[in-house]
Amino acid sequence: MPEPLGGMVLYPVPESVGRARRWFRTFTEPLHLPCSVVDDCVLMVSELVTNAVLYGSAEGPWRVRVDWCRVGGALRVEVHNPGCPAHVRLRSPSATEAHGRGLLLVDALADEWWSAPSRHGGTLVAFVVHQAFKPD
């Protein structure tokens, strides 16, 4: 059963990407995760919040939500935003394209990732890092 560890709610503005990175580091510090896990998760959170800010949309005011939980020895991070799950896909950008590599980074760094409808409405993109926590 997942053990909720923390979360944050962000405005859908570019400044929220840096805020998400800083807050994730701060909020996960008491968990004593290995530096490499935190660094990889910060990069993936940054990419997914960027995508949420760029591609999320709603009829009225909306927020980006980031939640993380422990599942056994694994850390699962979820990013929720308005929008249609069908828009989440890996791209193959050319060498000259400036964008389009966010999910490729997530795919390379996470042990698993997926997208689905969010329980908050809109889209969920989640990733898992196995063995993020030291065995008890």
Side-chain angles (χ1 to χ4, degrees), residues 2-72:
E3 173 190 346
L5 298 173
M8 61 185 114
V9 178
L10 304 156
Y11 289 101
V13 295
E15 296 80 17
S16 290
V17 177
R19 188 170 291 122
R21 287 191 296 262
R22 289 188 303 276
W23 287 359
F24 186 83
R25 274 192 197 283
T26 299
F27 294 158
T28 59
E29 187 175 345
L31 301 176
H32 304 290
L33 298 168
C35 289
S36 61
V37 169
V38 173
D39 289 346
D40 286 353
C41 287
V42 165
L43 177 58
M44 291 186 282
V45 165
S46 179
E47 293 298 332
L48 295 181
V49 170
T50 297
N51 285 351
V53 168
L54 290 175
Y55 304 115
S57 63
E59 294 287 323
W62 61 279
R63 303 289 185 269
V64 176
R65 181 179 181 95
V66 182
D67 295 311
W68 51 95
C69 62
R70 181 176 181 164
V71 183

Side-chain angles (χ1 to χ4, degrees), residues 90-102 104:
L90 281 173
R91 293 190 51 218
S92 298
S94 70
T96 59
E97 287 183 83
H99 303 285
R101 292 171 182 77
L104 289 172

